[in-house]
Amino acid sequence: VANGESTAGDETTASKEEENKTGLVKFGWVKGVLVRCMLNIWGVMLFIRLSWIVGQAGIGLGVIIILLATMVTSITGLSTSAIATNGFVRGGGAYYLISRSLGPEFGGSIGLIFAFANAVAVAMYVVGFAETVVELLKESDTIMVDESNDIRIIGTITVVCLLGISVAGMEWEAKAQVILLVVLLIAIANFFIGTVIPTNNEKKARGFFNYQASIFAENFGPDFRGGEGFFSVFAIFFPAATGILAGANISGDLKDPQGAIPKGTMLAILITTVAYIGVAISSCVVRDATGNINDTAVSGMSCNGSSACNLGYDFSRCRNQPCDYGLMNNFQVMSMVSGFGPLITAGIFSATLSSALASLVSAPKVFQALCKDNVYKGLHFFAKGYGKNNEPIRGYVLTFVIAMAFILIAELNTIAPIISNFFLASYALINFSCFHASYAKSPGWRPAFRYYNMWVSLFGALLCCGVMFVINWWAALITYAIELFLYIYVTYKKPEVNWGSSTQALYYINALDSALALTAVEDHVKNFRPQCIVLTGAPMIRPALLDITHTFTKNNGLCICCEVYTGPRKLCVKEMNSGMAKKQAWLTKNKRKAFYAAVAADSFRDGVKSLLQASGLGRMKPNTLVIGFKKDWRNAAASQVENYVGVIHDAFDFELGMIIVRISQGFDITQVLQSMHMGEFNQKLLEASTQFKKKQGKGTIDIWWLFDDGGLTILIPYILTIRKKWKNCKLRIFTGGKANRIEEEKLVMASLLSKFRIKFADINIICDINMKPNKESWKFFEEMIEPYRLHESCKDITTAEKLKQETPWKITDAELENCCILKTQVLLQLSGNESSNLLYSSCWINLRAFGV
């Protein structure tokens, strides 16, 4: 399965068909990934800051800084490669990789800030280009208005031109990138050629002496100045190593993203790192130089130990006063060293424009993928694409507006650290995604790229977080705050997506571990809670029965809504399987913390037997059966009544508590659901089905605690009273006692309830509980049970035995003689006497006070 959406084969076939049909432009790994990543990694830092970094940190620590930054990007590149090869990759780059691995919460939060970071990065790179142009205008004294406004004017013109290239299509943008790369490579080669061209007096006065062992030795160690240190210099350099996701960000425009992203990204990191190190160790310039060709050294001078002294120049006065040249003072060292200076300027132009162009393409592509997934419903407007390549024109316009806003501000020093931290946050989550997917041990995690390690990825994620604070601690805090806010927002909105993320896999692992750990915990009476099987059928058919059960199981115990399918097995199983997901979804949608379970059986009783025995997992097994009162028991078929009573017997046989709930209108609203389509339905039945959703008014819950049943009879009403909807209800206890000891019985019961910390409103002692019923009651009882009597004494022995076998549930004369009560009541009373076991309990609650 490809990233939780569909099979990789289906995706690839569909992609090829679409390409052939519409003439889509797709890129290979060189033009699509390698070129973009190299251009984005090689920025202006290479040309105007790397020499200063070497001057501050020295060649040794400078190389370590480059390698440390490369370690962060390399680990992220390995993680990116692993995720990208674990199935088909669509458009969206970093957002797509993170969202399909960690889910919409992480993906949605990082996707938005990553797209925004790319949009602002366009402004940063364009302003860098404009500043270089303004410097050239200053040298030729051709400033148009003033420096700030010239930057705005040039920046605006530049970003409009770049937008035109982007909107023209990915093919034109790719051609522009190749041209810029050629210029950049020529500029770098120009620098290395310049290092071996013999220098002249003017360049020597500025500190350039070609390759000299003494200069290399002098520049090898650090010489931090101006309050700088290792980490501050590292923070300045690190943005030069970013840009490794430039290829992944256009994953939807690659012919083979699974092969192109790992190959192109890792090779780009290798090539750019070699180039950075090559420039760093090509130290041909001293740290300080005056630029004055007359500052020559006389034989025998020490020149404060400077290697330039041995080469004929005295730059010792730079120790006491600022100088304008040398690694520490001149940002244009590469231009001076190069064979042809203007090519370095062309390289700076190429670096800034290529990075700006890559960001201008990346931001809309990532944003379009985010909007297509509808994670933020208000942004779906930007999901629409145009043309054969599904270009996000609306996204381009939005990116253009954001970039223009920041270009016009022209103050990017404050926002730059936040943007760097946004990119680092993306890197951190990509590494964490790889670790998380490996840790969850999901069978679906099978990346084709094998050169990764889950613990290395975790280390990479922590390293990225650490670098965020090294670069700028307050920017890191702002980044975390924004990401947390967006995470909470997406979690609250709960987008209806299922991508098979590793977060889901880890939920399963944690739940399984917790369930197994729970099996080692012995049951204790203080931890008893009602864990209910509710015979609702389809949960939407008997909502009131589910509601009253949910009232005392929500956040407290297990609740399983059960349905029994009877009839031809093949049809039953088909109907059952097709409805499982729908009915569980109904519970979730209606915020019912319950599970749905169904069985197919030959009879209702057999199905319930299966549920009572097999439901649950480990310690999370039901201990209470909740069933609605059979309202039509007088008119129902004998087999139905037998099944119903048999279920009650089975519950006690399997050592479960029993709760029978009765309301005046009954629970089944099938008639209402069917007739609502026609506009006619039983209003009273509909109101009754929602009565337990409403807040209950002031009243009492009458508890007929006639036997010591272990406590379930008192526990359920107590749980009801601690719920918000039932908080106005008081408990009224009815219990048996002797007429001559009413007050003493009340005191005993009050003392017992106080000991159990259960509040009550009143206690009523039933004095005639042990008295024989009067004639009217006895007559009513006999008329009620008459249809269910066997009357075996009036029949011959053979007929009586046959009837006993056919209808074992009927009341025999012997049973009536001995017990004078229904068999069900006998079992209930016997189970109530088992006071030592809470599971043998029955619950009789009178809810008449609420019109029930």
Side-chain angles (χ1 to χ4, degrees):
V1 175
N3 284 319
E5 298 205 15
S6 58
T7 62
D10 293 342
E11 292 280 8
T12 307
T13 304
S15 178
K16 286 181 178 177
E17 287 177 359
E18 191 178 359
E19 185 176 345
N20 295 332
K21 191 188 298 181
T22 61
L24 287 174
V25 178
K26 296 284 185 178
F27 303 113
W29 71 274
V30 175
K31 192 185 287 188
V33 182
L34 180 64
V35 170
R36 292 174 186 280
C37 288
M38 288 171 64
L39 282 169
N40 236 26
I41 296 171
W42 278 331
V44 290
M45 197 71 68
L46 174 65
F47 297 102
I48 62 175
R49 285 292 186 275
L50 190 56
S51 58
W52 177 86
I53 288 167
V54 172
Q56 289 278 355
I59 296 172
L61 287 181
V63 171
I64 290 175
I65 286 172
I66 294 169
L67 292 176
L68 182 58
T70 302
M71 182 168 65
V72 174
T73 55
S74 297
I75 293 172
T76 306
L78 293 173
S79 300
T80 303
S81 301
I83 298 170
T85 57
N86 189 50
F88 188 81
V89 179
R90 287 180 176 163
Y95 159 72
Y96 186 88
L97 298 178
I98 293 170
S99 62
R100 268 49 176 186
S101 295
L102 292 179
E105 295 84 6
F106 281 106
S109 58
I110 203 65
L112 198 59
I113 65 173
F114 186 70
F116 177 76
N118 273 286
V120 178
V122 174
M124 290 175 60
Y125 295 129
V126 168
V127 168
F129 168 78
E131 285 177 347
T132 307
V133 175
V134 169
E135 286 295 323
L136 294 176
L137 293 177
K138 278 174 63 180
E139 289 177 8
S140 59
D141 196 23
T142 53
I143 293 291
M144 291 178 283
V145 184
D146 56 58
E147 287 188 33
S148 296
N149 285 314
D150 280 12
I151 289 172
R152 293 186 177 102
I153 293 167
I154 295 168
T156 301
I157 295 170
T158 305
V159 80
V160 169
C161 293
L162 292 177
L163 178 65
I165 294 171
S166 302
V167 172
M170 289 296 294
E171 194 171 6
W172 283 94
E173 187 267 347
K175 289 176 181 177
Q177 293 279 28
V178 171
I179 294 170
L180 292 171
L181 179 62
V182 171
V183 174
L184 196 56
L185 290 172
I186 291 172
I188 295 172
N190 177 47
F191 166 76
F192 285 109
I193 292 170
T195 60
V196 296
I197 294 176
T199 186
N200 54 38
N201 290 334
E202 185 181 354
K203 288 186 177 182
K204 285 181 180 179
R206 294 181 179 184
F208 174 48
F209 296 93
N210 294 112
Y211 289 106
Q212 300 291 337
S214 59
I215 294 177
F216 184 88
E218 182 179 79
N219 290 344
F220 190 82
D223 185 15
F224 294 113
R225 301 179 193 173
E228 301 292 350
F230 177 83
F231 289 109
S232 64
V233 173
F234 173 78
I236 291 169
F237 172 78
F238 185 79
T242 59
I244 61 169
L245 297 179
N249 286 338
I250 62 160
S251 52
D253 296 297
L254 300 175
K255 288 179 183 175
D256 178 22
Q258 290 177 287
I261 291 174
K263 200 187 304 180
T265 303
M266 299 310 296
L267 187 57
I269 292 172
L270 176 63
I271 293 172
T272 53
T273 302
V274 170
Y276 276 127
I277 293 175
V279 172
I281 63 177
S282 298
S283 186
C284 308
V285 182
V286 295
R287 282 191 167 101
D288 297 293
T290 61
N292 189 343
I293 59 174
N294 295 320
D295 287 340
T296 55
V298 179
S299 179
M301 290 180 65
S302 64
C303 305
N304 291 328
S306 172
S307 59
C309 191
N310 298 325
L311 300 170
Y313 281 84
D314 177 16
F315 300 139
S316 57
R317 64 188 175 94
C318 292
R319 293 287 180 181
N320 303 316
Q321 63 184 61
C323 291
D324 295 329
Y325 297 97
L327 295 176
M328 304 292 281
N329 311 304
N330 183 15
F331 291 149
Q332 302 299 327
V333 166
M334 284 191 73
S335 294
M336 179 190 69
V337 172
S338 64
F340 183 60
L343 279 178
I344 298 298
T345 304
I348 294 172
F349 287 171
S350 174
T352 52
L353 292 177
S354 63
S355 297
L357 194 56
S359 296
L360 187 57
V361 170
S362 297
K365 293 282 185 183
V366 172
F367 193 58
Q368 183 187 35
L370 176 67
C371 297
K372 273 185 177 179
D373 288 334
N374 212 18
V375 175
Y376 302 98
K377 296 187 184 297
L379 301 177
H380 192 66
F381 172 79
F382 295 97
K384 184 174 175 59
Y386 296 87
K388 60 184 180 182
N389 263 53
N390 196 32
E391 295 291 345
I393 303 298
R394 295 174 180 178
Y396 282 132
V397 173
L398 180 63
T399 304
F400 171 77
V401 171
I402 294 171
M404 279 299 303
F406 282 95
I407 287 170
L408 293 175
I409 292 170
E411 287 291 337
L412 297 176
N413 288 339
T414 303
I415 199 72
I418 299 177
I419 301 308
S420 297
N421 274 285
F422 280 0
F423 285 120
L424 273 167
S426 304
Y427 297 171
L429 277 180
I430 288 174
N431 283 310
F432 184 72
S433 297
C434 184
F435 162 75
H436 201 271
S438 303
Y439 182 75
K441 296 182 177 66
S442 172
W445 174 248
R446 302 185 303 276
F449 185 82
R450 297 293 180 185
Y451 305 104
Y452 75 95
N453 179 276
M454 60 183 284
W455 300 112
V456 172
S457 295
L458 179 61
F459 173 71
L462 296 174
L463 198 59
C464 288
C465 294
V467 171
M468 288 172 70
F469 282 96
V470 167
I471 289 176
N472 192 299
W473 66 268
W474 58 263
L477 292 178
I478 290 174
T479 304
Y480 287 132
I482 294 172
E483 189 175 335
L484 180 62
F485 170 77
L486 293 173
Y487 178 88
I488 293 170
Y489 175 82
V490 177
T491 304
Y492 176 75
K493 289 296 182 180
K494 290 182 179 159
E496 296 178 1
V497 294
N498 182 14
W499 295 323
S501 66
S502 60
T503 306
Q504 294 171 329
L506 199 60
Y507 283 161
Y508 176 83
I509 295 292
N510 291 339
L512 187 61
D513 290 342
S514 297
L516 289 170
L518 196 60
T519 57
V521 179
E522 292 293 330
D523 282 332
H524 193 281
V525 67
K526 286 194 291 186
N527 291 325
F528 177 85
R529 61 193 65 228
Q531 304 197 114
C532 301
I533 276 190
V534 197
L535 299 184
T536 57
M540 62 284 290
I541 298 300
R542 294 177 179 82
L545 183 60
L546 173 59
D547 289 339
I548 187 65
T549 308
H550 190 254
T551 303
F552 54 79
T553 60
K554 181 183 178 183
N555 300 326
N556 190 51
L558 179 70
C559 180
I560 306 176
C561 299
C562 295
E563 184 172 10
V564 178
Y565 287 87
T566 57
R569 188 168 189 82
K570 193 173 182 180
L571 291 175
C572 286
V573 170
K574 186 178 180 181
E575 184 183 356
M576 178 181 72
N577 291 340
S578 63
M580 292 287 282
K582 179 183 174 183
K583 289 164 186 174
Q584 183 62 57
W586 185 91
L587 290 170
T588 305
K589 183 180 178 182
N590 288 272
K591 298 180 179 178
R592 295 292 176 264
K593 294 185 177 181
F595 299 97
Y596 172 76
V599 292
D602 295 330
S603 69
F604 174 72
R605 184 178 180 182
D606 288 342
V608 175
K609 273 184 183 178
S610 300
L611 290 166
L612 293 177
Q613 294 177 85
S615 294
L617 187 69
R619 294 287 182 194
M620 292 186 295
K621 286 182 68 70
N623 54 30
T624 306
L625 174 65
V626 181
I627 190 171
F629 181 78
K630 190 167 180 60
K631 190 180 177 185
D632 63 343
W633 67 275
R634 291 178 184 273
N635 305 318
S639 59
Q640 291 183 7
V641 178
E642 179 185 9
N643 273 334
Y644 183 83
V645 175
V647 165
I648 298 173
H649 290 191
D650 295 335
F652 288 110
D653 288 344
F654 296 132
E655 301 184 356
L656 269 74
M658 187 76 211
I659 298 178
I660 301 176
V661 189
R662 181 179 185 179
I663 59 176
S664 58
Q665 298 295 324
F667 291 106
D668 194 337
I669 63 166
T670 306
Q671 178 189 351
V672 174
L673 296 176
Q674 291 173 348
S675 59
M676 280 181 77
H677 300 292
M678 299 181 291
E680 297 178 2
F681 52 87
N682 187 333
Q683 186 64 34
K684 286 187 177 180
L685 183 56
L686 182 62
E687 290 175 359
S689 70
T690 61
Q691 61 184 303
F692 297 123
K693 292 180 180 177
K694 303 171 186 174
K695 186 175 182 179
Q696 307 298 324
K698 288 186 177 181
T700 60
I701 300 177
D702 291 349
I703 305 169
W704 297 78
W705 202 7
L706 306 179
F707 307 99
D708 180 9
D709 58 2
L712 187 65
T713 303
I714 199 74
L715 178 64
I716 298 298
Y718 167 73
I719 294 174
L720 287 177
T721 60
I722 63 176
R723 300 301 186 190
K724 199 177 287 185
K725 292 178 182 176
W726 294 75
K727 66 179 181 179
N728 294 326
C729 305
K730 309 297 180 184
L731 300 184
R732 186 166 60 175
I733 314 298
F734 291 82
T735 187
K738 296 180 180 178
N740 58 351
R741 297 184 71 249
I742 290 178
E743 294 304 320
E744 290 86 343
E745 296 281 1
K746 281 187 177 182
L747 287 173
V748 171
M749 180 56 66
S751 174
L752 180 63
L753 293 173
S754 177
K755 182 180 177 182
F756 291 150
R757 301 168 303 285
I758 293 176
K759 295 179 181 179
F760 58 92
D762 192 19
I763 296 175
N764 291 276
I765 305 300
I766 310 300
C767 303
D768 58 354
I769 189 172
N770 294 316
M771 293 176 61
K772 291 183 178 180
N774 56 38
K775 290 182 179 180
E776 290 78 12
S777 297
W778 186 256
K779 183 179 179 183
F780 172 77
F781 173 72
E782 286 184 330
E783 289 174 354
M784 183 175 65
I785 67 171
E786 179 60 33
Y788 307 100
R789 288 189 60 182
L790 196 64
H791 290 295
E792 78 277 11
S793 59
C794 303
K795 299 177 179 64
D796 59 79
I797 296 174
T798 306
T799 304
E801 289 299 321
K802 186 178 179 182
L803 286 172
K804 282 182 182 180
Q805 290 178 0
E806 292 176 351
T807 55
W809 49 273
K810 282 196 173 184
I811 305 167
T812 64
D813 293 339
E815 286 175 337
L816 190 62
E817 180 77 23
N818 295 330
C819 303
C820 297
I821 54 174
L822 289 170
K823 188 184 290 185
T824 304
Q825 290 175 309
V826 174
L827 285 171
L828 288 172
Q829 184 172 352
L830 288 173
S831 65
N833 289 333
E834 296 290 13
S835 57
S836 62
N837 191 340
L838 277 171
L839 299 180
Y840 287 92
S841 354
S842 60
C843 187
W844 300 88
I845 308 170
N846 187 352
L847 303 177
R848 287 180 300 176
F850 312 107
V852 179

